[in-house]
mmCIF file of all heavy atoms in Angstrom:
data_model
loop_
_atom_site.group_PDB
_atom_site.id
_atom_site.type_symbol
_atom_site.label_atom_id
_atom_site.label_comp_id
_atom_site.label_asym_id
_atom_site.label_seq_id
_atom_site.Cartn_x
_atom_site.Cartn_y
_atom_site.Cartn_z
ATOM 1 N N GLY A 1 85.927 11.395 64.608
ATOM 2 C CA GLY A 1 84.807 10.681 65.194
ATOM 3 C C GLY A 1 84.644 9.301 64.621
ATOM 4 O O GLY A 1 85.057 9.025 63.510
ATOM 5 N N PRO A 2 83.963 8.381 65.360
ATOM 6 C CA PRO A 2 83.803 7.007 64.913
ATOM 7 C C PRO A 2 82.985 6.856 63.643
ATOM 8 O O PRO A 2 83.238 6.021 62.841
ATOM 9 C CB PRO A 2 83.148 6.319 66.098
ATOM 10 C CG PRO A 2 82.608 7.411 66.946
ATOM 11 C CD PRO A 2 83.486 8.580 66.766
ATOM 12 N N GLU A 3 82.001 7.780 63.470
ATOM 13 C CA GLU A 3 81.162 7.701 62.211
ATOM 14 C C GLU A 3 82.022 8.006 60.979
ATOM 15 O O GLU A 3 81.874 7.373 59.961
ATOM 16 C CB GLU A 3 79.981 8.639 62.360
ATOM 17 C CG GLU A 3 78.904 8.211 63.329
ATOM 18 C CD GLU A 3 78.429 6.822 62.988
ATOM 19 O OE1 GLU A 3 78.100 6.579 61.775
ATOM 20 O OE2 GLU A 3 78.300 5.954 63.902
ATOM 21 N N LYS A 4 82.965 9.047 61.148
ATOM 22 C CA LYS A 4 83.819 9.331 60.030
ATOM 23 C C LYS A 4 84.782 8.160 59.746
ATOM 24 O O LYS A 4 85.092 7.887 58.540
ATOM 25 C CB LYS A 4 84.572 10.650 60.278
ATOM 26 C CG LYS A 4 83.622 11.869 60.195
ATOM 27 C CD LYS A 4 84.471 13.134 60.184
ATOM 28 C CE LYS A 4 83.533 14.326 59.977
ATOM 29 N NZ LYS A 4 84.206 15.611 59.869
ATOM 30 N N THR A 5 85.232 7.554 60.750
ATOM 31 C CA THR A 5 86.159 6.346 60.565
ATOM 32 C C THR A 5 85.384 5.271 59.817
ATOM 33 O O THR A 5 85.910 4.650 58.829
ATOM 34 C CB THR A 5 86.630 5.797 61.894
ATOM 35 O OG1 THR A 5 87.429 6.819 62.557
ATOM 36 C CG2 THR A 5 87.521 4.600 61.723
ATOM 37 N N LYS A 6 84.182 4.974 60.263
ATOM 38 C CA LYS A 6 83.345 3.952 59.675
ATOM 39 C C LYS A 6 83.075 4.270 58.182
ATOM 40 O O LYS A 6 83.274 3.400 57.288
ATOM 41 C CB LYS A 6 82.044 3.848 60.364
ATOM 42 C CG LYS A 6 81.063 2.788 59.762
ATOM 43 C CD LYS A 6 79.751 2.778 60.580
ATOM 44 C CE LYS A 6 78.753 1.757 59.914
ATOM 45 N NZ LYS A 6 77.450 1.822 60.539
ATOM 46 N N ARG A 7 82.723 5.531 57.866
ATOM 47 C CA ARG A 7 82.467 5.914 56.491
ATOM 48 C C ARG A 7 83.702 5.849 55.631
ATOM 49 O O ARG A 7 83.660 5.420 54.484
ATOM 50 C CB ARG A 7 81.794 7.299 56.474
ATOM 51 C CG ARG A 7 81.416 7.797 55.105
ATOM 52 C CD ARG A 7 80.443 6.856 54.371
ATOM 53 N NE ARG A 7 80.060 7.320 53.098
ATOM 54 C CZ ARG A 7 79.631 6.579 52.075
ATOM 55 N NH1 ARG A 7 79.559 5.235 52.266
ATOM 56 N NH2 ARG A 7 79.239 7.092 50.920
ATOM 57 N N ARG A 8 84.831 6.317 56.238
ATOM 58 C CA ARG A 8 86.069 6.304 55.403
ATOM 59 C C ARG A 8 86.410 4.859 55.065
ATOM 60 O O ARG A 8 86.764 4.562 53.907
ATOM 61 C CB ARG A 8 87.247 6.897 56.282
ATOM 62 C CG ARG A 8 88.590 6.699 55.609
ATOM 63 C CD ARG A 8 89.755 7.328 56.418
ATOM 64 N NE ARG A 8 89.833 6.823 57.732
ATOM 65 C CZ ARG A 8 90.353 5.628 58.123
ATOM 66 N NH1 ARG A 8 90.842 4.806 57.187
ATOM 67 N NH2 ARG A 8 90.435 5.278 59.386
ATOM 68 N N ARG A 9 86.281 3.912 55.962
ATOM 69 C CA ARG A 9 86.573 2.535 55.715
ATOM 70 C C ARG A 9 85.644 1.927 54.686
ATOM 71 O O ARG A 9 86.023 1.108 53.808
ATOM 72 C CB ARG A 9 86.585 1.727 56.995
ATOM 73 C CG ARG A 9 87.760 2.023 57.936
ATOM 74 C CD ARG A 9 87.629 1.339 59.263
ATOM 75 N NE ARG A 9 88.788 1.560 60.081
ATOM 76 C CZ ARG A 9 88.828 1.289 61.372
ATOM 77 N NH1 ARG A 9 87.774 0.765 62.007
ATOM 78 N NH2 ARG A 9 89.960 1.506 62.079
ATOM 79 N N GLU A 10 84.341 2.316 54.766
ATOM 80 C CA GLU A 10 83.355 1.846 53.755
ATOM 81 C C GLU A 10 83.803 2.278 52.342
ATOM 82 O O GLU A 10 83.763 1.517 51.373
ATOM 83 C CB GLU A 10 81.949 2.408 54.053
ATOM 84 C CG GLU A 10 81.331 1.821 55.262
ATOM 85 C CD GLU A 10 79.999 2.516 55.596
ATOM 86 O OE1 GLU A 10 79.712 3.534 54.980
ATOM 87 O OE2 GLU A 10 79.250 2.009 56.499
ATOM 88 N N ILE A 11 84.213 3.564 52.213
ATOM 89 C CA ILE A 11 84.629 4.087 50.923
ATOM 90 C C ILE A 11 85.949 3.362 50.437
ATOM 91 O O ILE A 11 86.120 3.031 49.277
ATOM 92 C CB ILE A 11 84.796 5.598 51.024
ATOM 93 C CG1 ILE A 11 83.448 6.222 51.210
ATOM 94 C CG2 ILE A 11 85.500 6.146 49.747
ATOM 95 C CD1 ILE A 11 83.495 7.762 51.497
ATOM 96 N N GLU A 12 86.895 3.263 51.371
ATOM 97 C CA GLU A 12 88.129 2.500 51.043
ATOM 98 C C GLU A 12 87.833 1.111 50.526
ATOM 99 O O GLU A 12 88.453 0.656 49.500
ATOM 100 C CB GLU A 12 89.095 2.419 52.209
ATOM 101 C CG GLU A 12 89.676 3.783 52.607
ATOM 102 C CD GLU A 12 90.500 3.773 53.888
ATOM 103 O OE1 GLU A 12 90.484 2.702 54.542
ATOM 104 O OE2 GLU A 12 91.088 4.786 54.189
ATOM 105 N N ASN A 13 86.866 0.407 51.105
ATOM 106 C CA ASN A 13 86.535 -0.956 50.683
ATOM 107 C C ASN A 13 85.941 -0.907 49.281
ATOM 108 O O ASN A 13 86.191 -1.836 48.498
ATOM 109 C CB ASN A 13 85.537 -1.583 51.682
ATOM 110 C CG ASN A 13 86.224 -2.106 52.906
ATOM 111 O OD1 ASN A 13 87.351 -2.559 52.883
ATOM 112 N ND2 ASN A 13 85.520 -2.114 54.045
ATOM 113 N N LEU A 14 85.151 0.095 48.994
ATOM 114 C CA LEU A 14 84.577 0.209 47.619
ATOM 115 C C LEU A 14 85.692 0.244 46.548
ATOM 116 O O LEU A 14 85.581 -0.380 45.525
ATOM 117 C CB LEU A 14 83.741 1.480 47.500
ATOM 118 C CG LEU A 14 82.393 1.531 48.204
ATOM 119 C CD1 LEU A 14 81.724 2.890 48.045
ATOM 120 C CD2 LEU A 14 81.437 0.412 47.674
ATOM 121 N N VAL A 15 86.735 0.950 46.889
ATOM 122 C CA VAL A 15 87.862 1.130 45.936
ATOM 123 C C VAL A 15 88.702 -0.127 45.888
ATOM 124 O O VAL A 15 89.002 -0.693 44.826
ATOM 125 C CB VAL A 15 88.726 2.303 46.328
ATOM 126 C CG1 VAL A 15 89.915 2.443 45.331
ATOM 127 C CG2 VAL A 15 87.887 3.583 46.266
ATOM 128 N N ILE A 16 89.132 -0.625 47.071
ATOM 129 C CA ILE A 16 90.034 -1.761 47.135
ATOM 130 C C ILE A 16 89.484 -3.080 46.565
ATOM 131 O O ILE A 16 90.163 -3.833 45.979
ATOM 132 C CB ILE A 16 90.554 -1.934 48.595
ATOM 133 C CG1 ILE A 16 91.443 -0.777 48.995
ATOM 134 C CG2 ILE A 16 91.253 -3.303 48.769
ATOM 135 C CD1 ILE A 16 91.700 -0.671 50.476
ATOM 136 N N ASN A 17 88.176 -3.177 46.686
ATOM 137 C CA ASN A 17 87.500 -4.393 46.130
ATOM 138 C C ASN A 17 87.031 -4.268 44.731
ATOM 139 O O ASN A 17 86.355 -5.131 44.186
ATOM 140 C CB ASN A 17 86.336 -4.792 47.109
ATOM 141 C CG ASN A 17 86.783 -5.172 48.470
ATOM 142 O OD1 ASN A 17 87.848 -5.756 48.642
ATOM 143 N ND2 ASN A 17 85.966 -4.807 49.493
ATOM 144 N N ASP A 18 87.338 -3.111 44.105
ATOM 145 C CA ASP A 18 86.905 -2.817 42.745
ATOM 146 C C ASP A 18 87.950 -3.334 41.742
ATOM 147 O O ASP A 18 89.096 -2.856 41.765
ATOM 148 C CB ASP A 18 86.667 -1.324 42.568
ATOM 149 C CG ASP A 18 86.013 -0.965 41.260
ATOM 150 O OD1 ASP A 18 86.201 -1.729 40.258
ATOM 151 O OD2 ASP A 18 85.367 0.112 41.167
ATOM 152 N N PRO A 19 87.581 -4.320 40.880
ATOM 153 C CA PRO A 19 88.576 -4.803 39.863
ATOM 154 C C PRO A 19 89.097 -3.727 38.995
ATOM 155 O O PRO A 19 90.244 -3.843 38.475
ATOM 156 C CB PRO A 19 87.787 -5.826 39.097
ATOM 157 C CG PRO A 19 86.627 -6.220 39.982
ATOM 158 C CD PRO A 19 86.287 -5.026 40.771
ATOM 159 N N GLY A 20 88.360 -2.633 38.812
ATOM 160 C CA GLY A 20 88.795 -1.553 37.923
ATOM 161 C C GLY A 20 90.007 -0.834 38.482
ATOM 162 O O GLY A 20 90.709 -0.080 37.701
ATOM 163 N N PHE A 21 90.320 -0.978 39.737
ATOM 164 C CA PHE A 21 91.538 -0.316 40.298
ATOM 165 C C PHE A 21 92.664 -1.282 40.534
ATOM 166 O O PHE A 21 93.691 -0.928 41.200
ATOM 167 C CB PHE A 21 91.153 0.394 41.622
ATOM 168 C CG PHE A 21 90.263 1.556 41.395
ATOM 169 C CD1 PHE A 21 88.911 1.529 41.809
ATOM 170 C CD2 PHE A 21 90.732 2.719 40.818
ATOM 171 C CE1 PHE A 21 88.077 2.650 41.652
ATOM 172 C CE2 PHE A 21 89.912 3.814 40.603
ATOM 173 C CZ PHE A 21 88.619 3.792 41.021
ATOM 174 N N GLN A 22 92.574 -2.500 40.051
ATOM 175 C CA GLN A 22 93.695 -3.430 40.152
ATOM 176 C C GLN A 22 94.573 -3.290 38.945
ATOM 177 O O GLN A 22 94.129 -3.025 37.849
ATOM 178 C CB GLN A 22 93.144 -4.904 40.222
ATOM 179 C CG GLN A 22 92.059 -5.103 41.273
ATOM 180 C CD GLN A 22 92.464 -4.673 42.686
ATOM 181 O OE1 GLN A 22 93.568 -4.947 43.138
ATOM 182 N NE2 GLN A 22 91.595 -3.898 43.343
ATOM 183 N N HIS A 23 95.891 -3.398 39.190
ATOM 184 C CA HIS A 23 96.843 -3.312 38.084
ATOM 185 C C HIS A 23 98.126 -3.913 38.477
ATOM 186 O O HIS A 23 98.444 -4.127 39.599
ATOM 187 C CB HIS A 23 97.037 -1.838 37.643
ATOM 188 C CG HIS A 23 97.565 -0.982 38.778
ATOM 189 N ND1 HIS A 23 98.880 -0.986 39.157
ATOM 190 C CD2 HIS A 23 96.952 -0.094 39.536
ATOM 191 C CE1 HIS A 23 99.076 -0.136 40.139
ATOM 192 N NE2 HIS A 23 97.887 0.428 40.416
ATOM 193 N N GLU A 24 98.978 -4.111 37.451
ATOM 194 C CA GLU A 24 100.300 -4.574 37.757
ATOM 195 C C GLU A 24 101.156 -3.444 38.385
ATOM 196 O O GLU A 24 100.800 -2.274 38.281
ATOM 197 C CB GLU A 24 101.049 -5.070 36.509
ATOM 198 C CG GLU A 24 101.221 -4.081 35.401
ATOM 199 C CD GLU A 24 101.834 -4.709 34.165
ATOM 200 O OE1 GLU A 24 102.984 -5.153 34.311
ATOM 201 O OE2 GLU A 24 101.224 -4.683 33.125
ATOM 202 N N ASP A 25 102.229 -3.773 39.107
ATOM 203 C CA ASP A 25 103.068 -2.814 39.792
ATOM 204 C C ASP A 25 103.545 -1.778 38.812
ATOM 205 O O ASP A 25 104.240 -2.121 37.763
ATOM 206 C CB ASP A 25 104.281 -3.580 40.430
ATOM 207 C CG ASP A 25 104.940 -2.690 41.471
ATOM 208 O OD1 ASP A 25 105.243 -1.561 41.207
ATOM 209 O OD2 ASP A 25 105.236 -3.251 42.573
ATOM 210 N N LEU A 26 103.289 -0.464 39.138
ATOM 211 C CA LEU A 26 103.718 0.619 38.255
ATOM 212 C C LEU A 26 105.204 0.695 38.126
ATOM 213 O O LEU A 26 105.752 1.251 37.121
ATOM 214 C CB LEU A 26 103.153 1.945 38.780
ATOM 215 C CG LEU A 26 101.661 2.156 38.703
ATOM 216 C CD1 LEU A 26 101.318 3.498 39.315
ATOM 217 C CD2 LEU A 26 101.210 2.100 37.291
ATOM 218 N N ASN A 27 105.980 0.197 39.098
ATOM 219 C CA ASN A 27 107.434 0.203 39.049
ATOM 220 C C ASN A 27 108.007 -0.521 37.854
ATOM 221 O O ASN A 27 109.106 -0.249 37.393
ATOM 222 C CB ASN A 27 108.041 -0.389 40.340
ATOM 223 C CG ASN A 27 107.794 0.531 41.509
ATOM 224 O OD1 ASN A 27 108.166 1.675 41.527
ATOM 225 N ND2 ASN A 27 107.140 0.015 42.545
ATOM 226 N N PHE A 28 107.218 -1.422 37.279
ATOM 227 C CA PHE A 28 107.662 -2.187 36.185
ATOM 228 C C PHE A 28 107.107 -1.777 34.853
ATOM 229 O O PHE A 28 107.146 -2.523 33.863
ATOM 230 C CB PHE A 28 107.371 -3.713 36.415
ATOM 231 C CG PHE A 28 107.930 -4.267 37.724
ATOM 232 C CD1 PHE A 28 107.175 -4.988 38.566
ATOM 233 C CD2 PHE A 28 109.237 -3.990 38.060
ATOM 234 C CE1 PHE A 28 107.701 -5.506 39.761
ATOM 235 C CE2 PHE A 28 109.787 -4.450 39.201
ATOM 236 C CZ PHE A 28 109.021 -5.213 40.076
ATOM 237 N N LEU A 29 106.494 -0.562 34.783
ATOM 238 C CA LEU A 29 105.924 0.006 33.545
ATOM 239 C C LEU A 29 106.786 1.139 33.076
ATOM 240 O O LEU A 29 107.468 1.809 33.785
ATOM 241 C CB LEU A 29 104.521 0.492 33.812
ATOM 242 C CG LEU A 29 103.491 -0.537 34.319
ATOM 243 C CD1 LEU A 29 102.122 0.138 34.432
ATOM 244 C CD2 LEU A 29 103.374 -1.768 33.380
ATOM 245 N N SER A 30 106.700 1.426 31.753
ATOM 246 C CA SER A 30 107.323 2.608 31.171
ATOM 247 C C SER A 30 106.585 3.823 31.568
ATOM 248 O O SER A 30 105.411 3.725 32.039
ATOM 249 C CB SER A 30 107.398 2.513 29.634
ATOM 250 O OG SER A 30 106.109 2.559 29.115
ATOM 251 N N ARG A 31 107.056 5.036 31.290
ATOM 252 C CA ARG A 31 106.370 6.252 31.661
ATOM 253 C C ARG A 31 105.049 6.379 30.903
ATOM 254 O O ARG A 31 104.033 6.753 31.434
ATOM 255 C CB ARG A 31 107.239 7.452 31.446
ATOM 256 C CG ARG A 31 106.531 8.729 31.813
ATOM 257 C CD ARG A 31 107.424 9.985 31.913
ATOM 258 N NE ARG A 31 106.502 11.104 32.231
ATOM 259 C CZ ARG A 31 106.229 12.097 31.438
ATOM 260 N NH1 ARG A 31 106.817 12.214 30.275
ATOM 261 N NH2 ARG A 31 105.412 13.039 31.846
ATOM 262 N N SER A 32 105.138 6.074 29.617
ATOM 263 C CA SER A 32 103.928 6.151 28.784
ATOM 264 C C SER A 32 102.862 5.179 29.309
ATOM 265 O O SER A 32 101.648 5.509 29.370
ATOM 266 C CB SER A 32 104.234 5.863 27.341
ATOM 267 O OG SER A 32 103.073 5.936 26.516
ATOM 268 N N GLU A 33 103.257 3.981 29.681
ATOM 269 C CA GLU A 33 102.312 2.985 30.263
ATOM 270 C C GLU A 33 101.744 3.470 31.580
ATOM 271 O O GLU A 33 100.537 3.257 31.857
ATOM 272 C CB GLU A 33 103.015 1.649 30.403
ATOM 273 C CG GLU A 33 103.371 1.000 29.061
ATOM 274 C CD GLU A 33 104.241 -0.257 29.273
ATOM 275 O OE1 GLU A 33 105.065 -0.272 30.249
ATOM 276 O OE2 GLU A 33 104.208 -1.165 28.469
ATOM 277 N N ARG A 34 102.573 4.144 32.371
ATOM 278 C CA ARG A 34 102.109 4.622 33.675
ATOM 279 C C ARG A 34 101.049 5.727 33.456
ATOM 280 O O ARG A 34 100.068 5.780 34.160
ATOM 281 C CB ARG A 34 103.288 5.128 34.531
ATOM 282 C CG ARG A 34 104.202 4.005 35.018
ATOM 283 C CD ARG A 34 105.433 4.522 35.700
ATOM 284 N NE ARG A 34 105.164 5.021 37.033
ATOM 285 C CZ ARG A 34 105.915 4.803 38.119
ATOM 286 N NH1 ARG A 34 107.065 4.168 37.963
ATOM 287 N NH2 ARG A 34 105.567 5.299 39.297
ATOM 288 N N TYR A 35 101.329 6.611 32.525
ATOM 289 C CA TYR A 35 100.405 7.705 32.222
ATOM 290 C C TYR A 35 99.091 7.098 31.721
ATOM 291 O O TYR A 35 98.004 7.483 32.170
ATOM 292 C CB TYR A 35 100.929 8.625 31.188
ATOM 293 C CG TYR A 35 99.919 9.661 30.585
ATOM 294 C CD1 TYR A 35 99.480 10.695 31.384
ATOM 295 C CD2 TYR A 35 99.428 9.458 29.311
ATOM 296 C CE1 TYR A 35 98.530 11.578 30.894
ATOM 297 C CE2 TYR A 35 98.447 10.328 28.821
ATOM 298 C CZ TYR A 35 98.045 11.348 29.640
ATOM 299 O OH TYR A 35 97.101 12.263 29.167
ATOM 300 N N ASP A 36 99.124 6.134 30.868
ATOM 301 C CA ASP A 36 97.930 5.437 30.342
ATOM 302 C C ASP A 36 97.148 4.844 31.459
ATOM 303 O O ASP A 36 95.903 4.974 31.540
ATOM 304 C CB ASP A 36 98.304 4.416 29.307
ATOM 305 C CG ASP A 36 97.139 3.747 28.599
ATOM 306 O OD1 ASP A 36 96.609 4.338 27.648
ATOM 307 O OD2 ASP A 36 96.663 2.695 29.112
ATOM 308 N N ALA A 37 97.841 4.073 32.344
ATOM 309 C CA ALA A 37 97.124 3.439 33.489
ATOM 310 C C ALA A 37 96.522 4.438 34.401
ATOM 311 O O ALA A 37 95.372 4.218 34.941
ATOM 312 C CB ALA A 37 98.135 2.548 34.248
#
């Protein structure tokens, strides 16, 4: 339903625009660094 689409996108925006979820590409980290992140 459209309301669920709207709410899903609102929640996705909360995450994507949150600096706390930004990080460098995991492909370039060691396993220990990936676990830590």
Side-chain angles (χ1 to χ4, degrees):
E3 288 303 314
K4 287 193 175 181
T5 298
K6 180 183 177 184
R7 181 57 177 156
R8 172 178 58 77
R9 288 173 176 169
E10 288 174 353
I11 292 171
E12 287 174 355
N13 281 329
L14 287 176
V15 178
I16 289 168
N17 296 325
D18 188 333
F21 290 110
Q22 308 306 314
H23 60 76
E24 61 183 298
D25 196 314
L26 291 179
N27 289 304
F28 302 133
L29 301 181
S30 69
R31 181 167 179 246
S32 180
E33 290 170 332
R34 290 174 75 141
Y35 169 72
D36 185 86

